[in-house]
Amino acid sequence: QEQLVESGGGVVQPGGSVRLSCTASGFTFNNYGMHWVRQAPGKGLDWVAYVAFDGSYQYYADSVKGRFTISRDNSKNTLYLQMNSLRAEDTAVYYCVKDSHWSFDYWGQGTLVTVSS
Amino acid sequence: QSALTQPASVSGSPGQSITISCTGTSSDVGGYDHVSWYQQHPGKAPKLMTYEVINRPSGVSNRFSGSKSGNTASLTISGLQAEDEADYYCSSFTSFKNWVFGGGTKLTVL
């Protein structure tokens, strides 16, 4: 069955950087666009970024544009999110999500990123 | 890009039907059929319940149905069950080439 496993979360200082990874299995990874969606503690869902199935284009939320970069390595079935210039408001659980029909079809269990000094 | 508008909470008794609304604009809900709904139980990842307004993924109960009229989408849950108690979120693709979520609705089964 489909599986998405995120890693790379932890505590990072304001202004710092972190790279999240998401390893996919159970489906043909290079056939699907992929998203990152985040959820701050006790808050709602917040879309972060999208990358096309072949990595040819990306979309970003205004709140992360210029600071975050989404990418993928189809040879490794892996999705990435490079997060720079981190702020306290970036503290959240970050979910890796498979796209289908422009919706969030399947979600990983998430990895927590805490931005704090 | 503003979030879609959902009621903060709804409630219903077992066996009843409830409807959760999701209001956007002509740039998102009203302009595209890429509207979807998600169920999230506490401490769990969200789960896709409907997509492209009316479609249900395999394995989702037919008690869940989606619809749309103008700039407002709706999720109806019929025959409420205790296990339906959860947070529900709507989402839409937008003309700005991004996705937007609603603020979420807490469903309580009385």
Side-chain angles (χ1 to χ4, degrees), chain B residues 36-104:
Chain B
S36 49
W37 286 90
Y38 303 86
Q39 177 190 66
Q40 186 179 33
H41 288 109
K44 301 293 188 181
K47 175 186 176 183
L48 177 65
M49 304 305 285
T50 67
Y51 66 96
E52 290 188 332
V53 180
I54 62 170
N55 296 292
R56 273 187 309 276
S58 173
V60 172
S61 170
N62 60 8
R63 297 186 299 105
F64 292 83
S65 61
S67 62
K68 189 182 84 166
S69 177
N71 294 339
T72 298
S74 299
L75 176 71
T76 297
I77 308 173
S78 59
L80 266 180
Q81 299 179 1
E83 68 210 49
D84 299 332
E85 185 162 295
D87 293 326
Y88 291 84
Y89 296 90
C90 62
S91 178
S92 177
F93 182 68
T94 85
S95 61
F96 303 101
K97 300 292 192 290
N98 57 18
W99 281 261
V100 64
F101 282 99

Side-chain angles (χ1 to χ4, degrees), chain A:
Chain A
Q1 71 279 20
E2 295 174 331
Q3 192 170 15
L4 295 168
V5 179
E6 302 94 338
S7 60
V11 180
V12 60
Q13 292 192 336
S17 299
V18 68
R19 187 176 83 157
L20 306 183
S21 300
C22 169
T23 302
S25 60
F27 65 99
T28 305
F29 182 69
N30 59 14
N31 281 356
Y32 294 91
M34 297 292 296
H35 300 267
W36 288 99
V37 176
R38 66 185 179 182
Q39 187 169 33
K43 302 297 184 182
L45 301 172
D46 183 30
W47 174 77
V48 174
Y50 168 84
V51 61
F53 70 99
D54 59 356
S56 59
Y57 60 90
Q58 306 82 31
Y59 300 144
Y60 294 94
D62 288 345
S63 58
V64 307
K65 205 171 293 184
R67 300 188 300 124
F68 291 10
T69 302
I70 188 171
S71 63
R72 63 192 297 161
D73 185 338
N74 285 345
S75 69
K76 296 181 178 179
N77 284 0
T78 301
L79 176 73
Y80 302 101
L81 184 67
Q82 177 66 44
M83 306 166 61
N84 298 331
S85 302
L86 283 162
R87 307 165 181 167
E89 55 264 36
D90 296 317
T91 294
V93 173
Y94 284 75
Y95 292 103
C96 165
V97 190
K98 169 177 166 277
D99 181 275
S100 181
H101 301 285
W102 300 102
S103 65
F104 306 101
D105 178 37
Y106 185 77
W107 301 61
Q109 286 306 300
T111 186
L112 176 62
V113 174
T114 301
V115 183
S116 174
S117 54

Side-chain angles (χ1 to χ4, degrees), chain B residues 9-18 79-86 106-110:
Chain B
S9 62
V10 299
S11 62
S13 299
Q16 289 185 331
S17 294
I18 63 94
L80 266 180
Q81 299 179 1
E83 68 210 49
D84 299 332
E85 185 162 295
K106 181 176 180 60
L107 169 61
T108 300
V109 180
L110 301 171

